[in-house]
Amino acid sequence: RVVAQSLGKSTPEGRGEDTRTNATKYSKVKRDDSVLFTFNENGAIDRRPAVGSDTVATRESSEDPSTPARQTGDVAICSSVHFVGIGGSGLSVLADVALKQGYKVSGSDVSDNPKAKSVRKAGATVFIGHSADNLGEDVDAVVVSSAVPKGNVEVEAARARGIPVYKRETWLGRLTENRELLAVAGTHGKTTTSSMLSIVLRDAFGDDLAAVVGADVPQYPDCGGALHGASKRFVLEADEY
């Protein structure tokens, strides 16, 4: 859902000219009255509902197609999640969110970096190095970082056991499927924009929202990368791919 849309570069007449290009095919959808605000021609916030300017991108699912389907892999009912690459900026935040949601969390990474230590301190079981033995008997979902190369022993072990394997974006999609998602995408400024958006909604509008961004934010609890609010709204820094 597009929450705020830039008008692009200005023309001599002062009107916005749309200069966006993307390989993804977009389709127009009707007006959405849940849009919070748009930007007017002067760059100021216009709180009137956007009229017919929302766009929706359709992409193929990134869930690993070679993973056998298993009912217990449903995010809504699984209870133990293993993150391969748990020390990365993307998965460490998701591991923290999973812990706050009551999941049993484990994971592995190649080094015991600060983020891996932080997740361990929060309650996760963190292994240094990858091994099939790291995958506990009770694990019913595996989330893998895009930085992890193909053929990872833990991913292969999960497949052999019929445990669903999710990429980061697919797991996020399932976590947010019952929320009002405000996703910020692009090549530059995603972290700053999504952080600012979540803080404005929280502090100025009093919205007890959830958020996930790919950096540590000083205004977030423990200077982390997530908010754990209970409202329907969820702000997400979305990868450009």
Side-chain angles (χ1 to χ4, degrees), residues 53-64:
S53 61
D54 286 3
T55 56
V56 175
T58 57
R59 300 177 186 269
E60 294 182 357
S61 170
S62 57
E63 184 174 352
D64 193 323

Side-chain angles (χ1 to χ4, degrees), residues 89-122:
S89 59
L91 291 200
S92 61
V93 177
L94 294 189
D96 183 56
V97 170
L99 285 167
K100 294 292 193 301
Q101 292 178 329
Y103 291 98
K104 178 180 179 181
V105 174
S106 62
S108 62
D109 214 303
V110 294
S111 64
D112 197 14
N113 59 39
K115 290 189 178 298
K117 292 177 180 178
S118 177
V119 176
R120 182 188 292 114
K121 184 178 179 181

Side-chain angles (χ1 to χ4, degrees), residues 5-236:
Q5 177 175 309
S6 170
L7 293 174
K9 67 180 182 180
S10 298
T11 63
E13 292 77 17
R15 297 179 179 178
E17 180 181 358
D18 192 348
T19 59
R20 294 169 298 165
T21 59
N22 197 299
T24 303
K25 293 183 179 179
Y26 289 85
S27 59
K28 295 288 183 179
V29 297
K30 63 183 181 180
R31 164 178 172 164
D32 185 350
D33 289 333
S34 66
V35 172
L36 299 177
F37 57 82
T38 59
F39 291 115
N40 63 26
E41 294 179 358
N42 297 320
I45 291 178
D46 184 350
R47 296 186 186 278
R48 294 171 298 175
V51 180
S53 61
D54 286 3
T55 56
V56 175
T58 57
R59 300 177 186 269
E60 294 182 357
S61 170
S62 57
E63 184 174 352
D64 193 323
S66 64
T67 300
R70 194 174 80 158
Q71 185 179 10
T72 53
D74 191 321
V75 171
I77 59 176
C78 72
S79 59
S80 180
V81 189
H82 184 80
F83 294 86
V84 183
I86 198 170
S89 59
L91 291 200
S92 61
V93 177
L94 294 189
D96 183 56
V97 170
L99 285 167
K100 294 292 193 301
Q101 292 178 329
Y103 291 98
K104 178 180 179 181
V105 174
S106 62
S108 62
D109 214 303
V110 294
S111 64
D112 197 14
N113 59 39
K115 290 189 178 298
K117 292 177 180 178
S118 177
V119 176
R120 182 188 292 114
K121 184 178 179 181
T125 299
V126 179
F127 302 96
I128 304 306
H130 299 297
S131 168
D133 294 335
N134 294 343
L135 211 61
E137 291 298 323
D138 58 347
V139 169
D140 42 27
V142 170
V143 183
V144 58
S145 166
S146 57
V148 174
K150 293 182 178 180
N152 178 273
V153 292
E154 294 176 20
V155 174
E156 294 301 320
R159 288 174 179 163
R161 288 170 49 182
I163 301 173
V165 178
Y166 302 94
K167 290 185 179 179
R168 174 181 178 270
E169 60 268 29
T170 309
W171 181 257
L172 271 170
R174 296 190 175 218
L175 286 180
T176 60
E177 62 184 355
N178 295 319
R179 308 292 286 269
E180 181 181 315
L181 180 62
L182 312 180
V184 179
T187 54
H188 298 290
K190 297 186 298 297
T191 301
T192 301
T193 303
S194 52
S195 300
M196 291 175 63
L197 176 61
S198 63
I199 292 167
V200 167
L201 290 173
R202 183 192 67 180
D203 296 350
F205 289 84
D207 190 343
D208 183 29
L209 78 167
V212 167
V213 300
D216 295 334
V217 182
Q219 293 86 350
Y220 282 9
D222 302 320
C223 295
L227 292 176
H228 307 284
S231 80
K232 290 287 290 184
R233 217 166 262 141
F234 195 116
V235 173
L236 171 66

